[in-house]
């Protein structure tokens, strides 16, 4: 898990969890899925895809911080985007 986001939409608080991984076997069969159509997308094209607001903001943040960053982040949506805060262990 990399991100937990909160968003107020239509008088409803929406909480999402976003996970990232690096696959070494890209021949995995992704054709069987109950979540809709899955497909492999080139990293240069993924931000051009239609997706939920917080998902796109998490992807932008993830690409900016680099894949080797092991921190967990909380994101709260605003009218201007998502504010990300690094979560630390105490």
């Amino acid at each position: 898990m990399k991100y937990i986001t909160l968003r107020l939409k239509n008088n409803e608080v929406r909480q999402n969890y976003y996970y990232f991984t690096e696959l070494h076997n890209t021949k995995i069969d992704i054709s069987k899925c109950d979540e809709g159509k899955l497909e492999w997308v080139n990293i240069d094209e993924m931000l051009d895809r239609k997706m939920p607001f917080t998902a796109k903001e998490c992807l932008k943040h993830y690409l900016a911080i680099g894949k080797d960053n092991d921190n967990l982040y909380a994101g709260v949506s605003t009218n201007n985007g998502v504010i990300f805060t690094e979560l630390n262990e105490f």
Side-chain angles (χ1 to χ4, degrees):
M1 184 169 63
K2 188 73 176 169
Y3 295 94
I4 301 168
T5 61
L6 295 172
R7 180 180 185 196
L8 180 61
K9 184 170 181 178
N10 300 329
N11 291 323
E12 173 183 270
V13 175
R14 296 184 180 184
Q15 181 174 334
N16 290 294
Y17 301 91
Y18 294 94
Y19 296 82
F20 288 80
T21 190
E22 185 173 335
L23 295 177
H24 297 282
N25 179 2
T26 58
K27 298 185 190 300
I28 295 171
D29 182 10
I30 61 171
S31 64
K32 298 175 183 171
C33 175
D34 295 335
E35 299 294 326
K37 180 183 175 189
L38 294 180
E39 59 186 316
W40 295 114
V41 177
N42 187 314
I43 196 167
D44 299 331
E45 300 171 4
M46 69 180 168
L47 290 176
D48 296 332
R49 300 293 199 168
K50 183 179 177 182
M51 66 184 79
F53 171 72
T54 54
K56 185 169 276 196
E57 293 298 311
C58 285
L59 283 172
K60 287 181 191 176
H61 187 263
Y62 180 77
L63 292 171
I65 63 170
K67 70 177 185 173
D68 295 327
N69 180 315
D70 291 332
N71 298 324
L72 173 64
Y73 293 89
V76 177
S77 68
T78 70
N79 291 335
N80 299 317
V82 175
I83 298 171
F84 292 102
T85 302
E86 182 180 323
L87 299 177
N88 299 311
E89 287 188 46
F90 293 99

